[in-house]
């Protein structure tokens, strides 16, 4: 459930009509609902907590899904931890008030500097993705004179995820170590003066709408915990990653957080381990929309009808990158007449097409539309391609709204570039 609804003939975010935001901030603009973020986080965590086999989980929100510090603050206030993949994300989580001992640091290519920063910060766990990385972490920890808390990210070789580009749990993907490597590396690390292996982790993909591959991967992870313990090794934490899918309108209905939690409870029954989760999309996707204005409708003599928007692939790249589907809704629907559109942006790429042959209510220049379910992997993947100012973000809470990332001016954009004396 989310808080984007038609009221008095106009789409609102909670108590705020979207046209008010467009008039005040301009378009394109991302709009997030704080109430929806809170609700999604609590539904997810409460579903897990309701199972005694799970206990009190660490729910480390995947910052990459939507990393605005104000969004993180809303979630931190509910008790969220943070799953991060760069020094920048760790800094964002800290700036939002997420305690360091709830921050998980993942990612296949952490640099020496990033590792040093994470260790100095005292993050809860660094998820190690390869043997060279264990060596690097050990080296940096020794230099700093600390003991690094690490978990091994294991690649369970299970196929899952809504698109090949977001499937991460197959042996051919770059993420994590194999089960055999994990056992050897874990044992070695536990004898190292500057490493403290505390657990194992997995994340098999994103936009997963079927629990079966997740369950298969989690069962393998349970087996790994048991075999490590049988070797006399201590395993305190099992991090089961993120990946739960969301309804993008025309796609298979994903399992609910309650279904997911019941499956996890079955798998971990009797294991006695602290569980961690890294949900991103399921928290943020349906808590945000991208609001855009129709520039004009271009009807080609060959018969195609292009709805040209002021939003483009640089603002929301998911359709171009993953063939993703976003429901498109008029902010002020008029009547029931529909027409078939190719919905495009102004960027000079044929890939700047949000959808083709989509029946939509009849629209005209000046109308506002909303791309629904755009709160995750929307603004975080935006760019300034074609020298289009980075899309701003607005947070709504009840009847209030605030700009939480400003649209840069052209002067600001150009001022970032430096002159080379010799040009
Ligand atoms: N954890 C890791 C390591 C990831 O790479 C990702 C996404 O790519 C996530 C968590 C979040 O996934 P999702 O947004 O599908 O929940």
């Amino acid at each position: 459930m989310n808080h984007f609804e038609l009221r008095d003939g106009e789409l609102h975010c909670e108590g705020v009509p979207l046209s008010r935001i467009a008039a005040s901030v301009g378009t394109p603009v991302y709009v997030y609902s704080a109430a929806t973020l809170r609700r999604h986080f609590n539904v997810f965590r409460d579903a897990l907590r309701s199972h005694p086999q799970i206990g009190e989980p660490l729910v480390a929100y995947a910052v990459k899904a939507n990393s605005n510090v104000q969004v993180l603050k809303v979630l931190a206030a509910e008790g969220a931890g943070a799953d991060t993949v760069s020094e920048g994300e760790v800094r964002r989580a800290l700036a939002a008030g997420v305690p360091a001992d709830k921050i998980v640091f993942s990612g296949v290519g952490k640099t020496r500097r990033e590792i040093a920063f994470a260790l100095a910060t005292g993050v809860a766990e660094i998820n190690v993705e390869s043997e060279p990385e264990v060596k690097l972490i050990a080296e940096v920890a020794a230099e700093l004179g600390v003991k690094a808390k690490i978990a091994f990210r294991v690649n369970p070789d299970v196929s899952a995820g809504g698109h090949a580009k977001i499937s991460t749990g197959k042996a051919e993907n770059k993420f994590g170590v194999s089960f055999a490597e994990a056992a050897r590396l874990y044992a070695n690390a536990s004898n190292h003066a500057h490493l403290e292996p505390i657990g194992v982790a997995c994340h098999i993909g994103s936009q997963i709408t079927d629990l079966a591959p997740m369950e298969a991967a989690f069962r393998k992870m349970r087996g790994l915990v048991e075999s490590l313990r049988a070797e006399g090794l201590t395993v305190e934490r099992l991090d089961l990653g993120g990946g739960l899918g969301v309804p993008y309108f025309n796609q298979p209905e994903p399992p609910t957080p309650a279904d997911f939690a019941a499956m996890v409870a079955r798998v971990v029954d009797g294991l006695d381990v602290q569980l961690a989760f890294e949900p991103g999309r399921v928290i943020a996707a349906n808590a945000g929309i991208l609001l855009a204005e129709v520039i004009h409708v271009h009807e080609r003599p060959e018969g195609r009808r292009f709805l040209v928007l002021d939003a483009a692939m640089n603002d929301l790249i998911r359709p171009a990158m993953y063939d993703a589907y976003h429901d498109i809704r008029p902010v002020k629907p008029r009547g029931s007449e529909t027409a078939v559109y190719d919905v495009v942006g102004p960027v000079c790429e044929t890939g700047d097409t949000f959808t083709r042959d989509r029946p939509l209510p009849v629209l005209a220049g000046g109308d506002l539309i909303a791309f629904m379910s755009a709160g995750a992997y929307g603004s975080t993947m935006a760019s300034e391609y074609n020298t289009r100012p980075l899309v701003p973000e607005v947070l709504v809470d009840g009847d209030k709204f605030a700009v939480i990332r400003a649209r840069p001016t052209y002067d600001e954009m150009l001022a970032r570039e430096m002159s080379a004396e010799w040009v």
Side-chain angles (χ1 to χ4, degrees):
M1 201 216 111
N2 62 59
H3 292 269
F4 292 93
E5 283 161 351
L6 270 183
R7 281 195 207 172
D8 307 322
E10 170 164 5
L11 199 55
H12 282 55
C13 176
E14 303 189 26
V16 180
L18 291 178
S19 62
R20 192 186 301 162
I21 294 173
S24 152
V25 186
T27 54
V29 57
Y30 277 96
V31 181
Y32 310 131
S33 154
T36 310
L37 288 165
R38 289 187 195 107
R39 183 188 148 78
H40 288 174
F41 178 78
N42 286 307
V43 165
F44 188 85
R45 184 182 51 187
D46 293 350
L48 293 164
R49 272 179 173 169
S50 72
H51 295 275
Q53 302 94 318
I54 294 178
E56 182 62 37
L58 168 62
V59 181
Y61 163 72
V63 171
K64 64 169 78 68
N66 185 321
S67 58
N68 189 291
V69 172
Q70 304 310 306
V71 166
L72 301 181
K73 270 190 187 167
V74 168
L75 295 170
E78 302 301 304
D83 167 55
T84 59
V85 291
S86 66
E87 179 177 336
E89 286 192 352
V90 177
R91 286 182 183 271
R92 282 182 177 276
L94 293 170
V98 179
D101 64 4
K102 285 188 178 177
I103 298 179
V104 174
F105 187 28
S106 317
V108 290
K110 303 172 201 79
T111 63
R112 175 179 284 272
R113 174 200 152 112
E114 288 182 311
I115 292 166
F117 179 76
L119 290 175
T121 303
V123 300
E125 138 194 338
I126 300 185
N127 284 352
V128 179
E129 305 244 6
S130 64
E131 184 161 9
E133 190 169 77
V134 201
K135 290 193 181 133
L136 184 57
I137 295 172
E139 232 174 83
V140 179
E143 277 163 24
L144 294 177
V146 297
K147 208 161 181 175
K149 287 191 175 175
I150 56 171
F152 285 92
R153 178 168 176 187
V154 182
N155 188 320
D157 199 15
V158 167
S159 182
H163 188 276
K165 288 183 186 158
I166 50 174
S167 171
T168 57
K170 287 289 290 167
E172 74 225 36
N173 301 132
K174 64 182 174 181
F175 305 94
V177 298
S178 69
F179 277 84
E181 279 178 300
R184 176 175 59 84
L185 296 174
Y186 205 105
N188 290 347
S190 60
N191 291 323
H192 194 288
H194 292 283
L195 296 176
E196 183 186 352
I198 58 161
V200 286
C202 73
H203 168 80
I204 60 170
S206 200
Q207 187 52 19
I208 300 173
T209 52
D210 175 9
L211 288 181
M214 280 186 157
E215 181 160 356
F218 296 174
R219 286 197 182 280
K220 286 186 167 185
M221 295 303 291
R222 179 190 175 126
L224 177 64
V225 172
E226 287 169 335
S227 65
L228 292 171
R229 284 178 173 170
E231 299 291 316
L233 299 163
T234 305
V235 185
E236 293 161 28
R237 188 176 291 150
L238 172 58
D239 178 344
L240 294 175
L244 193 59
V246 300
Y248 281 108
F249 194 70
N250 73 337
Q251 291 184 335
E253 272 294 306
T256 62
D259 300 334
F260 173 77
M263 177 274 283
V264 172
R266 267 198 316 275
V267 174
V268 302
D269 192 17
L271 191 60
D272 190 21
V273 74
Q274 202 222 348
L275 291 177
F277 298 87
E278 304 170 353
R281 192 185 305 271
V282 76
I283 310 285
N286 282 307
I289 59 134
L290 173 63
L291 182 60
E293 186 176 308
V294 176
I295 298 178
H296 51 241
V297 178
H298 174 192
E299 301 216 20
R300 295 270 292 255
E302 304 84 4
R304 298 212 78 83
R305 187 182 292 114
F306 294 97
L307 190 71
V308 185
L309 305 179
D310 63 0
M313 65 190 289
N314 69 298
D315 305 308
L316 176 64
I317 202 160
R318 297 187 67 258
M321 190 148 154
Y322 308 127
D323 303 315
Y325 181 101
H326 285 272
D327 190 17
I328 298 172
R329 292 172 61 181
V331 168
K332 292 185 182 174
R334 299 180 292 263
S336 55
E337 208 189 331
T338 60
V340 174
Y341 295 100
D342 287 358
V343 182
V344 300
V347 158
C348 302
E349 302 253 359
T350 306
D352 187 21
T353 299
F354 292 110
T355 181
R356 284 168 67 83
D357 294 321
R358 175 86 62 96
L360 290 172
V362 169
L363 289 157
D367 285 342
L368 293 171
I369 61 102
F371 286 95
M372 308 306 291
S373 316
Y377 307 105
S379 62
T380 45
M381 295 177 96
S383 75
E384 291 184 344
Y385 185 41
N386 277 205
T387 309
R388 292 169 48 82
L390 193 61
V391 57
E393 298 173 287
V394 162
L395 182 67
V396 174
D397 198 358
D399 295 332
K400 305 183 289 281
F401 75 89
V403 176
I404 56 169
R405 179 169 83 188
R407 192 189 313 277
T409 64
Y410 291 107
D411 285 343
E412 285 164 346
M413 289 166 73
L414 292 178
R416 290 201 308 254
E417 294 180 24
M418 335 269 294
S419 56
E421 303 262 299
W422 36 265
V423 172

